[in-house]
Amino acid sequence: MCIGQRTEPFLVVYFCSVQERTQRKELEEEMAEAATESHEDPSEETEDLGPLEPDDSGTFQQVTNLLNIMESESTKTDTAGAGFDMRKRLASVIITEKATTEPSVVMNALIRCLQVPEISTQRKVNIYNILQEIIQQEGELEERCVQRLVAIASKEMRDMLEMEGYMRAEVASDTLVALSRNHFSLVMYELQHHLKPLNLTEEFVIVTLAKLANGNVFEFMPYMGITLATMFTMLRLANEAKMRQVICGAMETFCETVQFYLRHLEDSVYPVMTEDQFAVKLFPMYRYFVTVWLRNNNPEVKLGVIKSLKPMLSLLLPNDDLREQVYDYIPLLLAEYQGSLEALFITQVLRQILEMSVITNSPVPQMQLHTIFTELHVQVCSRAPAQQQYSSQNLTEIVHCFVALARSYPKELMKFFLSQMEMSKEAVRVGTLALIRAVVSADEPKMNIRTIYLAIRVVKNTLSDTRSKVRMAILRIIGQLALSGFQDRIKGWGLKYVSVQLTLSTYKLTNRRDNFYQRDLEEKMVHKVTMDTVKIITSSVSGMTNEFWVRLLCYIMETDYTEALTPICVSLTNLAERQLHAKDEEANASKSRHVDLPAPQKLLARLLVLMSSPYKGEGRGIAMLNLLKTLSQSIAPSMADMWELEIPLLVKYLEEHTEFTWNQETWEDKLIQFLRNSLKKTRGSNWSLRLSKELNNQIESFDSPSLEKGFLYRALGFTLATGLEADKVEVLLLELLYKTDYSNDFDREGVILCFGLCARGQVKTVLGVLHDFEERIQESEQSWQIGAWRKDHPWRRETVKGALMVMYSCVASYCHPQMLLIHVDNPITTKIIHHYSSSCQDICLKLAFMKSVVQVTDAIKNIKDLEDFQFSQKATLTGIIMAIIKAEPTDSLVSPVRTMAMDALSYLSKLKPFYSTEESSDLMDISIHSVISLQPPGESNESIKTLYTNALRALEQLMEGLMQRHLDPKGLQEMVHLLEKWILSEKEWEREKAVNLYLHLMKIYVQSVGVCIPLKLGQFGSLVGLIAPGTCDSHRKTRLASMDVLASLLDLHASQTCSFWGASKELELEKCKEDLQGSDMEKIFSVSSRISKVPEILGAILVHLPMVDHREVRRLLIEGILLLAHYHQETVLTALLRQPLPMESHLTEVWLAVAENVPFARTMLHALMGRLQARFMPRANAASKADIWRLAAVDPLMTLCAIHLLVERMDWDNRLLELFLDLVYTLLLQLGGSQSPEAVSPVLKTWRLIHTGTLPEEVNLQRVTIRSMQLLFRRLNSESLLCTLEEEGVWTLLESSSTFLQGVSQLARLCVQSPQGYYRQRLSELALRGMASEALSCRISSTAVCVEFMSDPILHQEKLLKRAVLMLEKGAEQEDEVLRVLSLRALGNMALGAPRKVRQYRKLLLEKCLCSLRVPGVSTSVTSEGLEVLAKVLAELREGDLGSAFNAISEQCRTFFDNESELLRLKAFVLFGKLAQVVRISKKHFFKQEVKKAWVPLMLHCQDPCSDAAQACVATMFQCVHFWGWKALESSVDHSDAAAPKEMSSFQMTLCSVLTQKKPAILYNFLLETMTYVKSNLSRIRIAACNLAGIIMKQMSAHYLRKLDFPALRNSLQELQLDSDPGVWRAALETLNILDTCSQQRLLASPEGIS
């Protein structure tokens, strides 16, 4: 242990001690404080307990305080943890430590605390526990103190009332027991005082007496007699179950105490009592317990009685007289088996009685035997009840009972067993046999031979029972007899029974049937028990009969149940060693060690085959090797010495490995070598031939496939190869050919291997046998079935032919090289060709043929000294293989035929005569076409992927093999030429495979010796020209492979021409490779152009094209441009677009040539659209000069002219129509981007290169764009759509920057209304994409389109609404006014297109609209749009959906009632009316207040100069009338002509009249607010304010008239006399007159006026 680990416990202890000292100090302080308080205010509890000594008073108070702490901490321990428990413990320690100095004082204080009235149970328990510690600590105490404590504890112990009383009684009892150690007499006197005859004492008096007896054995003995006698008088009085249990427990303790006393009599100083004296006193109680209390119905009482009987019987049974009386009560004990009592306790008592009867040789009465037998036997043979917890222990006790009975009454017991065995019940027989086995296995003293003889007689009567459990029980008895030393008793019947069961169980297990799982499981158990029995017998029985030996040997030879082989081999090894030892003794070691074997070769063959799987069946390999070593002299004496050396090495190999680490092939090689070495020892004899016969006979004993059978074929081949008699070998080989099932792949391959191995030493014999076999089965269909030889497996013609082909090739693989050269052409290859040519040539036969060719050619190639050997059959084989490859489908791969065919060609190419150049080209062309045309398999199909990979590998190997003969530039060029059409294929996978094969060829060529011949410039150019376009292939793998090929060619060229290939070029090439790995096609084209020098080539063509007059040459040059464009589109497109305008004739010819090829034209249109759209995307930084040239600004006008030309001249099909919307939308964005002044470029840079001045008027961005759009719509062939566009003036709208967005909306609306759903869907996707652009003009145009789509369900239906809303949310936050207005308008249109989604997005909608109202400095158009959107949204929402936004909308809306903008006033009035419609219960009070605040502006703006605003205001005001809650006011409203001046004046008068009566204060405020409008900028509002003020003053009460500031009102009205509008000063004059009238009325109403 390290230092840290040692110090850790020390630190913990130290910390705990410190903590304890700290808490102890705290406790002492608390105790001192409590003591001080107690002196000041003495406790009332101690007043009546008598006077205290001066010193005792302080101690008593300290003890009381500590007890208080302990009691309080006890309640906290459960919730607060261990800290409070430590405080409680410390308080207890302080009291006990104080008792060391003043024991009597502390004891008296504690006793006094016990006498305090109404003390809690916990406090008493604490006091008693402390007293017990003090008593144990101090020993002898003051007698007066002890007497007081004994009296108190005795009383406490006897006053047990409830559960808490039980706890107090228990601790009081423990305190008395603690006192008894030093004050036994005082305690005993107290207890005996309460133990009176014929008087039932208290429960804890008896409990305490039992504890005293247990703790003070010798002191208690003088009182034992009187105690037992007194307790006996109480038995009749104890009627309660609890009391009876207490007495039984006490009796159990008393009896155990007496037994201890009797064992230690020499230590006793008291008068000695004998065992008989105790027994005499105990027996009456025993009799009463058994006869009376045991019959009680209470199970707890029964249990207590039974438990007390055992120690009582230990004292009673040794007494002869009492023992006989105990026997009389056995039936009463047996009767309890029928009750609910646990059987174990009854059986233990019964076992005690029976075993004592054997020891004392006084058997139980014979008349009780049958009852005992029956009661015990039933429990063994029947299942124990569920409530029996100790059934297994009970069975053990019952077995001991039967063993005791067998010793006393063997004849009677076996007679009973025999009667039970006559029953047919399996459980009864199994139980009985288990008891017999227990009797046989009895320990010392062993059963006498007579008992064993009787037991065997009982067993023999059941040998015919075939049930599994019975058989296992008999086998166990036989094994037990052998173990117990009764071996002689099992010879004959026992060994025969074991042999029969071994055979029977093996047969059943090897012939098992389905749906009999339970039976198979039972039979496995029988077999296991049988094997265990065999092991016991063979290891313990001496003088084993030869019959048993032979049976076990035959078992090994015949059984198919290999799991049993290991134990059988171990047993046979033991038996063989015993036999050899016995024979050595008989012959005095003069004869050879030999045992009888049925057939040595048969046994060796069997064991060898089984050892091929050495770890099966619990490691049978080692067991079999040991058996072989033991039987070596008996099997083959000539091999014995060699086996003694080699077998231990094989055993060592198996011991060093496990079934998980061994190697099957290595192990089989070791066994074959062992077999070879063994057969060498028998040369010159027919031993090997006989072994071959035995191996041949065992072939049908093993399943196919299996490791054993595979090894068997191999061993048979090696053995036959060593045979001396060829005719007998022929017979065995023919027999093997006839009995083989050729439809079974495993057997077929096994026979083929056997024939090949046999050919090592018997090649002529093997070829002769094959020829003979072919002669016997001629070419007729009937003979091919060979029903006479093989009825269970009729052969198929093709299957046998395939096997014969591979058999011939296997012979070629294994035979001697010199013999192979003689026979390879004829008959081996000739026979292979014959069998294939005369067959149906299905897949299996093709595979067999290819396998044969590979094996034969490989065997020839491996011969070292071939010299000038010419394989004459090579051409024939090649022709057959090429035909096979041609027949394979080029669109699917379902078999490895083409792979194996190419492998065969690879092997053939290495043999003479070699293929010519033409033959190699033909082979390559056929093979390449067969593989490259295959489409790659999917990721999920693993088997096809494997076939595909193998086919590619085989093709590469074939190309490599054929190229080795033609390693020169011409050969390379011819090989590459074969790949050319595949490199240029339109199919992606074909290009990829072709380029990879090109790369493979280059690797082979570069690594070969042919590089010394330099490539000619034309050859190098053609090779580079073929692969260069592949560097910009759309497929990444093809690009990278092309780059590797190009790099390899450049490296090769540099090395052959001795040109300098600098580090900078290497770095540039590596950089190109890295760039080609990406997915950015623009970068890829740039890299490809850098590699291929495309700009230079294209520039030369464009320069010379205008000067060429010959039409054919011009056509070729234009085709060259198009070919370059096919592989380097971006580079060519940039060059064409940078040509000057107007477009010259040669450039027009190029674009017309593009238009003729519709698929290519569609690709170019995509690229041109990309160029226009790139203007709205962030521009990438140029990385090189080539990038700068490619990314240089191309004027969009040239791009537009090219698009116009292509759209005009192309033949349109359905695929081109799919581009319609993309083109229209791109042109629309271009048009939107050209509206700004800086976008207009009348003089282009390219124009100025060759012209001066400006472009023609018709050549500008707007006109060319609109003309292209018009052309697109005309190509749709929809006259109605064209008419609509003209009628609505869409083109005119789009031309002007002021009406452009209106034109966009009109165009988008027409697309939305289009019946073709694809147009709507695609345009919506394009609009959303444009809204994400970084270009402002693109976002504005796209949002204008989105406005129309938001009013249609299309976005919601296509699940694009969420995306659109998020983008519009961003647009509503932009600074651009137009974009904000359009975004808000589109959001509002959600109420039209997806009204159900308004609630989902209400938070966003309300937030954006309110933002447009709140933010200062926002334009009128944005605010107006926000108000309108809110009005739309509110129509789809409910009051609860708005939340706090309702208040904000209402307040913001009122601020626009008096705005200078007519539009804002109109929108505000409409919105306020919508709010009035939304209001329900929760917002009604709030909105009522808002109506009051808005009422004056509403009444005034009913005369708004804007008629629309005035109408909206009137409508809103009358919608809000009901919020006043007055029926009179609502009934006065006439909606038909509410805006007429007379009607409005009438309504105002009615309102003022009602307000005068109900809310005069509001009317007063209305007047004040109205007078503020006389300064309004709107003359009509000033007139309306004067008129309303006059109406209000007329209706105002005198009280509120007195509050008016008449001078101020008169001044305001007089100022209006100077107004420029006559209507204003007339209205002001009328109001002044009303004011004067009201002023006079106020004077008359005032007190001064009256006076």
Side-chain angles (χ1 to χ4, degrees), residues 92-218:
S92 173
V93 169
I94 292 171
I95 297 174
T96 53
E97 284 186 356
K98 190 170 183 64
T100 56
T101 55
E102 298 175 329
S104 299
V105 174
V106 174
M107 287 280 289
N108 284 326
L110 290 169
I111 293 169
R112 189 174 183 82
C113 290
L114 284 174
Q115 294 175 301
V116 173
E118 298 181 0
I119 188 173
S120 68
T121 299
Q122 184 59 49
R123 192 180 186 91
K124 282 195 174 183
V125 170
N126 293 340
I127 294 171
Y128 279 121
N129 287 333
I130 295 171
L131 285 170
Q132 291 173 32
E133 291 180 9
I134 295 172
I135 291 166
Q136 291 175 1
Q137 172 182 289
E138 297 302 322
E140 294 271 348
L141 296 170
E142 183 182 339
E143 185 173 352
R144 180 170 170 271
C145 179
V146 172
Q147 287 176 349
R148 289 179 62 197
L149 180 57
V150 167
I152 293 171
S154 175
K155 184 175 183 302
E156 190 79 59
M157 179 182 67
R158 289 178 282 111
D159 294 344
M160 184 181 66
L161 300 176
E162 64 281 325
M163 191 63 197
E164 290 189 356
Y166 187 91
M167 293 171 58
R168 294 197 297 269
E170 188 172 9
V171 292
S173 172
D174 292 339
T175 305
L176 290 175
V177 173
L179 281 170
S180 69
R181 295 194 180 101
N182 294 297
H183 306 278
F184 182 81
S185 299
L186 289 174
V187 176
M188 193 64 190
Y189 176 80
E190 175 67 22
L191 294 175
Q192 289 293 336
H193 176 70
H194 297 289
L195 188 71
K196 298 177 182 179
L198 299 175
N199 185 17
L200 187 63
T201 187
E202 288 79 5
E203 172 186 327
F204 265 92
V205 173
I206 299 174
V207 171
T208 309
L209 282 171
K211 292 179 182 178
L212 284 180
N214 187 52
N216 305 274
V217 177
F218 296 109

Side-chain angles (χ1 to χ4, degrees), residues 551-563:
R551 282 180 179 274
L552 292 181
L553 278 176
C554 292
Y555 181 82
I556 286 183
M557 304 304 299
E558 297 169 2
T559 183
D560 292 330
Y561 188 65
T562 56
E563 297 296 322

Side-chain angles (χ1 to χ4, degrees), residues 218-285:
F218 296 109
E219 289 88 345
F220 194 87
M221 279 302 116
Y223 301 93
M224 182 62 77
I226 187 64
T227 302
L228 292 176
T230 305
M231 286 181 61
F232 179 71
T233 64
M234 298 179 187
L235 297 182
R236 296 179 182 276
L237 304 174
N239 295 321
E240 294 183 2
K242 182 64 177 175
M243 193 63 186
R244 290 186 177 186
Q245 291 179 59
V246 169
I247 293 175
C248 289
M251 286 305 301
E252 186 177 356
T253 305
F254 289 151
C255 293
E256 291 171 352
T257 302
V258 169
Q259 291 179 51
F260 179 85
Y261 170 74
L262 292 174
R263 289 195 298 270
H264 302 84
L265 279 175
E266 66 276 5
D267 298 331
S268 175
V269 296
Y270 294 99
V272 176
M273 287 184 68
T274 63
E275 187 174 359
D276 290 339
Q277 290 175 323
F278 281 118
V280 169
K281 291 182 180 294
L282 277 175
F283 186 73
M285 301 193 77

Side-chain angles (χ1 to χ4, degrees), residues 458-605:
V458 176
V459 173
K460 284 182 177 180
N461 285 333
T462 58
L463 295 180
S464 60
D465 196 323
T466 60
R467 288 173 288 193
S468 302
K469 293 181 181 178
V470 177
R471 289 157 58 200
M472 285 190 284
I474 295 173
L475 287 167
R476 289 189 177 105
I477 290 175
I478 295 172
Q480 190 61 54
L481 285 168
L483 284 174
S484 299
F486 302 107
Q487 294 93 337
D488 294 340
R489 295 293 170 181
I490 64 172
K491 289 183 178 179
W493 74 273
L495 298 179
K496 182 178 180 181
Y497 187 82
V498 173
S499 302
V500 170
Q501 294 307 313
L502 185 60
T503 305
L504 179 62
S505 62
T506 302
Y507 174 78
K508 289 185 176 181
L509 287 172
T510 52
N511 294 276
R512 63 182 66 176
R513 291 176 292 173
D514 296 336
N515 303 324
F516 287 94
Y517 176 77
Q518 183 64 32
R519 292 185 185 179
D520 291 344
L521 198 60
E522 292 178 355
E523 204 59 49
K524 283 185 178 179
M525 290 298 299
V526 173
H527 192 274
K528 184 179 184 306
V529 174
T530 307
M531 298 311 303
D532 293 340
T533 307
V534 169
K535 191 181 296 184
I536 292 170
I537 291 173
T538 54
S539 61
S540 59
V541 178
S542 59
M544 180 58 58
T545 61
N546 191 57
E547 180 185 358
F548 192 64
W549 163 261
V550 174
R551 282 180 179 274
L552 292 181
L553 278 176
C554 292
Y555 181 82
I556 286 183
M557 304 304 299
E558 297 169 2
T559 183
D560 292 330
Y561 188 65
T562 56
E563 297 296 322
L565 291 172
T566 302
I568 291 295
C569 288
V570 172
S571 301
L572 280 171
T573 305
N574 294 335
L575 284 176
E577 289 176 350
R578 286 174 178 274
Q579 289 190 21
L580 291 171
H581 182 68
K583 290 191 177 186
D584 283 349
E585 291 180 352
E586 291 176 4
N588 295 321
S590 61
K591 296 184 180 179
S592 63
R593 293 165 56 84
H594 183 271
V595 295
D596 297 329
L597 294 177
Q601 290 85 2
K602 185 176 182 180
L603 180 61
L604 178 60

Side-chain angles (χ1 to χ4, degrees), residues 928-947:
I928 289 171
H929 183 270
S930 177
V931 175
I932 290 188
S933 58
L934 293 172
Q935 188 171 355
E939 290 294 328
S940 59
N941 199 332
E942 291 295 331
S943 58
I944 301 298
K945 283 174 66 177
T946 303
L947 289 175

